[in-house]
Amino acid sequence: MGQQRLPGAFGAEFTGLDLTGPLDDGTLNAIVQAIYDHLVVCIRDQDLTPAQFAAFGRQLGEPMVHVEKDILVDGVPEVLTLSNADGRPERQRNGGNHWHTDLVFTESPASFTMLNAVAVPRVGGETGFADQCAAYSALPDGLRDQAENITVAHCYEGRRDGSFPTVYHPLVRPHPVTGRKALYGANSTCIGIQGMDDDAAAKVLGQYREYALDESVQYYHQYQDHDVVIWDNALTLHTGPRLEPAGGGIDPRVMNRVSVRGWPTVH
Ligand code: OGA
Ligand code: MN
């Protein structure tokens, strides 16, 4: 097993692992530690069946079954497929194309999400990540102090029409295991701040968003075939690419995806 840094400001890469079967404690521990230390972890060369990928996910947490049944893998509901295959719905192709953290609009958001690259396009298939620990550290003192007292209102797709429940999360949410401080959910689904009128809240959130999405805290992951990429949703924002339907010179991009809840400890 080899471990090194990814080429950006954060992220780590493992080579020489085999995720097709159960992992021993030491290997699992090294992966979890790397996620907590580096926020994004890429494990190269994992040609996994959906069942093997789901079994790997279960070693990191409790898989969450997505509500949209038509994008789940047959017989393995813990796995869904992101795909730009012609005829697939827009949300399956471009649903992740905005900066967000997974399931922030629920009371119990995802801890980790992982993708297994089944088909990688020659250009334009990257996932963007933004390090929210670095964003928090870069805040000027005044904004950093103020952030501690802000509770953000989130709603599915940022809706304000009451069609989905509003859920509240602190803007600074120390990591459940490591305690590292980071901005949390400073984009996308935010619809306001508790105890503040909407115009004032939009201005305040706009200030934090500039730090959350600053280029200096971003890393774009360029996939190789069969990468498994895992990210920590507590400490990062991410965005998928905008894709055209495959065919006529547009390459397919197909990713299997597992999202889990729960925070493994490291020992
Ligand atoms: C996701 C997501 C981004 C991508 O699966 O949650 O946002 O690059 N995916 O496909
Ligand atoms: Mn996502």
Side-chain angles (χ1 to χ4, degrees):
M1 173 174 91
Q3 185 180 342
Q4 59 195 69
R5 301 290 300 271
L6 284 167
F10 60 102
E13 171 194 63
F14 286 94
T15 50
L17 285 182
D18 177 1
L19 305 184
T20 57
L23 298 173
D24 62 70
D25 269 4
T27 306
L28 201 53
N29 211 52
I31 293 171
V32 174
Q33 186 71 57
I35 298 170
Y36 291 156
D37 288 344
H38 301 286
L39 318 187
V40 175
V41 164
C42 174
I43 306 173
R44 303 285 187 191
D45 301 316
Q46 304 301 321
D47 187 2
L48 304 177
T49 64
Q52 288 168 337
F53 191 36
F56 170 66
R58 272 195 291 276
Q59 295 174 86
L60 292 176
E62 176 204 340
M64 301 164 80
V65 175
H66 204 272
V67 290
E68 296 186 29
K69 303 290 174 228
D70 58 328
I71 62 178
L72 305 181
V73 171
D74 260 356
V76 194
E78 304 96 317
V79 183
L80 67 79
T81 304
L82 307 171
S83 167
N84 67 336
D86 203 11
R88 300 306 305 170
E90 163 76 16
R91 67 182 192 292
Q92 190 173 8
R93 192 170 76 241
N94 286 321
N97 179 235
H98 58 289
W99 287 100
H100 64 283
T101 179
D102 290 331
L103 283 300
V104 59
F105 51 87
T106 68
E107 294 290 351
S108 177
S111 45
F112 311 133
T113 302
M114 56 208 90
L115 299 181
N116 187 203
V118 176
V120 176
R122 281 164 295 184
V123 289
E126 297 89 359
T127 305
F129 295 98
D131 175 348
Q132 298 302 284
C133 301
Y136 172 79
S137 300
L139 292 172
D141 290 347
L143 278 183
R144 195 178 319 132
D145 292 343
Q146 183 190 17
E148 302 281 348
N149 300 315
I150 289 179
T151 301
V152 180
H154 292 274
C155 192
Y156 181 64
E157 290 184 339
R159 292 189 200 189
R160 293 160 185 280
D161 57 8
S163 56
F164 284 86
T166 301
V167 171
Y168 296 89
H169 293 291
L171 180 58
V172 181
R173 182 169 169 261
H175 190 278
V177 175
T178 64
R180 284 175 80 183
K181 285 189 174 179
L183 287 179
Y184 182 65
N187 197 48
S188 175
T189 50
C190 305
I191 56 167
I193 292 175
Q194 203 169 44
M196 206 181 276
D197 72 58
D198 284 354
D199 287 348
K203 285 205 188 86
V204 171
L205 289 169
Q207 287 180 302
Y208 288 103
R209 186 175 299 120
E210 274 181 37
Y211 289 88
L213 298 180
D214 191 81
E215 242 173 69
S216 65
V217 305
Q218 293 180 10
Y219 162 65
Y220 276 81
H221 185 74
Q222 232 149 351
Y223 290 88
Q224 296 174 15
D225 282 346
H226 308 313
D227 276 355
V228 164
V229 170
I230 310 162
W231 62 88
D232 187 327
N233 278 297
L235 303 181
T236 55
L237 293 174
H238 63 277
T239 179
R242 173 147 292 274
L243 300 167
E244 297 300 324
I250 305 284
D251 290 338
R253 181 187 196 258
V254 180
M255 299 277 173
N256 282 332
R257 175 191 194 272
V258 172
S259 223
V260 299
R261 273 197 189 110
W263 298 98
T265 48
V266 276
H267 37 268

